[in-house]
Amino acid sequence: MSERVEVTRTGPMEYRAVVQDGLDTTQHRITMSHSVLDDLLIPDLDTHAVARETVRYLLDRESGDELPEDIDLDHLSNENPDFMAELKARLTN
């Protein structure tokens, strides 16, 4: 993965990610709920790290310009059975 990812908090449980891959730059809105965060079972969870690792998880599967503009962790966890386990592994390693 050669993409550069910058994540900034834009509100409670909401982040903006800017993904740069060469000359291409994309922006994405990441939202999460307390429910999906509770499912990770990680004490003192850093939501900034959750947003960053979510984007990295997606970039391992598709290019930045293929990522959706809005990334909802609840939707992602429902649509991708391996997402939560891999996200937890990324956050605890």
Side-chain angles (χ1 to χ4, degrees):
M1 174 176 66
S2 63
E3 296 92 351
R4 192 175 94 191
V5 178
E6 293 181 26
V7 176
T8 54
R9 186 180 188 132
T10 56
M13 311 295 275
E14 185 176 304
Y15 289 83
R16 179 176 64 108
V18 177
V19 178
Q20 271 190 304
D21 186 10
L23 298 176
D24 294 330
T25 301
T26 58
Q27 294 188 34
H28 312 274
R29 179 176 165 256
I30 303 154
T31 56
M32 56 192 81
S33 69
H34 289 288
S35 172
V36 76
L37 297 177
D38 290 346
D39 289 346
L40 290 168
L41 302 172
I42 300 174
D44 302 319
L45 186 60
D46 177 3
T47 57
H48 186 272
V50 171
R52 182 186 64 245
E53 292 305 321
T54 296
V55 172
R56 292 186 189 282
Y57 166 87
L58 292 170
L59 286 171
D60 284 347
R61 287 150 181 79
E62 52 196 308
S63 66
D65 60 355
E66 295 174 322
L67 296 182
E69 188 173 316
D70 288 314
I71 301 169
D72 180 337
L73 269 69
D74 292 275
H75 177 76
L76 193 55
S77 67
N78 289 331
E79 295 296 315
N80 299 288
D82 64 328
F83 171 67
M84 292 300 283
E86 185 163 336
L87 180 61
K88 184 172 183 172
R90 288 169 180 258
L91 293 166
T92 57
N93 288 331

